[in-house]
Amino acid sequence: MALCLKQVFSKDKTFRPRKRFEPGTQRFELYKKAQASLKSGLDLRSVVRLPPGENIDDWIAVHVVDFFNRINLIYGTMAERCSETSCPVMAGGPRYEYRWQDERQYRRPAKLSAPRYMALLMAWIEGLINDEDVFPTRVGVPFPKNFQQVCTKILTRLFRVFVHVYIHHFDSILSMGAEAHVNTCYKHFYYFIREFSLVDQRELEPLREMTERICH
């Protein structure tokens, strides 16, 4: 019997602590607006569109943080099934392998296990979204000029989490009765990145057939 989603996706299973929006801020109000649209049953293609009069960088920032929280929760639930033994390489099937690179420990692309890659990825994103110079929260402080480039990199790497989970851990999704929830999260993510052209089409190739089936 499928578990209810509250059991499957418990907040206690998050891979990293959830990032929250400060009540009373413009970002918080945008977040509430986005969540209300999601719960209203509107078509997801419509939900992701920039509301009239809103700043595009604020809209993207709200969604990047929300997707981080959601995907972090999905992977956190799968984490015990994704081990150094079961997933010695961060991959999406036999054709796609993802290597890790950052500005600290791994200055050259490194071949890592999936759990190690995920740990570094979530810590890296958490560091960025908590950095006031990248994701400013104070009123009147502008976003950096390269903000959308940073978000493209974050979202591209988060897409790889979907690739790995769908291709290597889909049986776990099914066994927990979480397929509908994960599919909805993926569709929301996919429509958003396509609406604002935030992820290169070539990065989407590993899930192309599945995306055509559930998103069109």
Side-chain angles (χ1 to χ4, degrees):
M1 182 181 292
L3 297 173
C4 72
L5 292 181
K6 286 185 179 178
Q7 288 175 297
V8 175
F9 294 102
S10 163
K11 66 178 183 295
D12 296 330
K13 296 227 176 186
T14 52
F15 201 58
R16 307 287 303 181
R18 287 172 63 86
K19 168 71 174 178
R20 301 185 185 280
F21 299 100
E22 287 296 322
T25 63
Q26 173 68 9
R27 204 81 47 81
F28 181 73
E29 295 306 315
L30 270 182
Y31 172 72
K32 286 201 302 182
K33 184 182 293 187
Q35 292 302 301
S37 296
L38 270 178
K39 292 175 183 176
S40 70
L42 289 174
D43 179 73
L44 287 171
R45 290 183 182 87
S46 303
V47 166
V48 299
R49 291 177 190 144
L50 181 68
E54 299 294 354
N55 177 277
I56 188 170
D57 285 342
D58 273 319
W59 189 241
I60 290 174
V62 162
H63 282 80
V64 166
V65 173
D66 190 40
F67 288 136
F68 167 70
N69 284 336
R70 291 172 186 271
I71 295 169
N72 170 31
L73 186 58
I74 290 170
Y75 182 73
T77 304
M78 305 290 160
E80 62 189 32
R81 297 168 173 84
C82 183
S83 68
E84 300 281 338
T85 304
S86 67
C87 304
V89 176
M90 175 57 182
R95 292 181 56 197
Y96 300 95
E97 182 179 302
Y98 301 118
R99 301 200 171 193
W100 180 259
Q101 185 175 18
D102 56 33
E103 296 177 356
R104 295 182 181 179
Q105 189 175 355
Y106 298 96
R107 294 182 178 274
R108 294 182 180 179
K111 185 174 182 176
L112 303 174
S113 68
R116 177 64 177 153
Y117 184 103
M118 297 293 189
L120 289 167
L121 172 60
M122 298 305 179
W124 173 76
I125 296 175
E126 187 180 33
L128 286 172
I129 62 180
N130 286 322
D131 186 340
E132 282 288 330
D133 291 332
V134 182
F135 280 75
T137 57
R138 296 186 298 276
V139 176
V141 178
F143 286 92
K145 290 181 180 179
N146 69 336
F147 178 70
Q148 290 190 26
Q149 291 173 278
V150 172
C151 289
T152 284
K153 193 167 186 179
I154 291 173
L155 293 167
T156 296
R157 287 178 164 182
L158 281 175
F159 182 81
R160 295 171 181 176
V161 180
F162 277 121
V163 173
H164 184 75
V165 166
Y166 269 119
I167 293 176
H168 294 271
H169 301 290
F170 192 66
D171 56 338
S172 296
I173 295 173
L174 290 176
S175 69
M176 291 188 295
E179 182 183 8
H181 178 80
V182 176
N183 283 350
T184 298
C185 183
Y186 175 74
K187 287 163 70 174
H188 185 201
F189 181 92
Y190 176 79
Y191 290 139
F192 184 80
I193 61 175
R194 298 306 295 153
E195 175 73 14
F196 299 102
S197 301
L198 289 167
V199 175
D200 190 289
Q201 186 69 38
R202 291 169 296 182
E203 285 281 345
L204 307 180
E205 188 62 24
L207 295 181
R208 179 174 56 82
E209 291 183 7
M210 186 203 75
T211 302
E212 289 173 353
R213 188 174 70 253
I214 71 172
C215 294
H216 298 290

